[in-house]
Amino acid sequence: MSGVVREPDGIPRCPWGLESAQMADYRAYHDTEWGLPVHGDDALFERMSLEAFQSGLSWITILRRRPGFRAAFAGFHIAKVARFTDADAERLLTDPGIIRNRAKIAATINNAKVAAGLAPGELDDLIWSFAPARAGRPVPRTVDDLQPTTPESTALAKDLKKRGFRFVGPTTAYAMMQACGLVNDHLAECHVRAAVEAAAG
């Protein structure tokens, strides 16, 4: 079982990625983004898209290409990506700043079109409606306490698929829930956990 790790700075953090050569990149993301509440249709669309691109890859691969993804996908503004054409999809397949996967590119454009059909704020409301109650939820002490899917992520994935979204299965949906603060999966002794709880209100 793997609990928090203490780096040379003595601060306890969740162990994922922190023992790798990419430690500095992971540390910044872990300390300042992961698990903090994310709201706004475009912001959640970005997280949904990046988590879909991450499927089958390491998160550091996506994290380091995030500026490239933002440039390629018009800052993940739903209205702009929804207007992408087949020519745009072909252009993206030659863009070295992103993961050039035809199915994931097509899914991102498709998902923007679906999201554009929702009322303003509806995507935010939809995703957050699947956040589990925080009261009584077990606090993870080691990474072995975390599961790749939950009933809520399975239900969210099913709802998104029914609406026409693609490449958002239960595992991807749960990764998005973790990243966007719908759940707080920082370990019990992680120094960020309390800040995430406070931000969640």
Side-chain angles (χ1 to χ4, degrees):
M1 296 193 298
S2 183
V4 295
V5 296
R6 292 182 183 273
E7 297 179 61
D9 61 11
I11 297 175
R13 293 181 173 90
C14 301
W16 43 268
L18 297 180
E19 297 173 346
S20 69
Q22 297 83 16
M23 183 186 296
D25 298 288
Y26 272 127
R27 184 194 299 118
Y29 177 68
H30 169 273
D31 286 1
T32 65
E33 291 190 60
W34 193 74
L36 288 171
V38 174
H39 284 284
D41 293 344
D42 289 341
L44 286 166
F45 171 64
E46 174 180 358
R47 296 302 185 92
M48 177 192 298
S49 301
L50 294 178
E51 294 293 351
F53 271 100
Q54 187 271 333
S55 180
L57 301 170
S58 66
W59 177 244
I60 195 65
T61 300
I62 304 303
L63 193 59
R64 287 182 165 175
R65 286 175 169 77
R66 185 160 55 171
F69 275 108
R70 286 173 170 169
F73 286 98
F76 288 100
H77 292 292
I78 292 170
K80 293 180 180 179
V81 181
R83 293 195 293 269
F84 277 20
T85 64
D86 290 344
D88 289 308
E90 291 301 316
R91 170 182 57 80
L92 291 170
L93 284 170
T94 67
D95 190 332
I98 67 170
I99 304 300
R100 291 171 284 183
N101 179 294
R102 185 180 294 275
K104 293 177 181 179
I105 290 170
T108 302
I109 296 172
N110 168 81
N111 292 348
K113 295 179 188 299
V114 175
L118 301 176
E122 188 174 354
L123 181 62
D124 188 311
D125 290 342
L126 166 65
I127 290 173
W128 275 90
S129 72
F130 288 91
R134 301 181 96 84
R137 190 171 187 267
V139 176
R141 303 200 67 82
T142 74
V143 293
D144 292 337
D145 294 331
L146 302 175
Q147 301 298 318
T149 65
T150 64
E152 292 85 3
S153 76
T154 300
L156 173 57
K158 182 178 180 180
D159 190 290
L160 291 170
K161 182 177 180 181
K162 181 177 67 176
R163 294 169 186 267
F165 288 92
R166 301 178 192 165
F167 247 101
V168 187
T171 300
T172 298
Y174 193 60
M176 177 177 64
M177 293 171 76
Q178 291 175 305
C180 296
L182 280 75
V183 296
N184 184 357
D185 275 349
H186 284 280
L187 301 186
E189 296 180 7
C190 175
H191 82 105
V192 181
R193 183 174 178 85
V196 169
E197 282 297 298

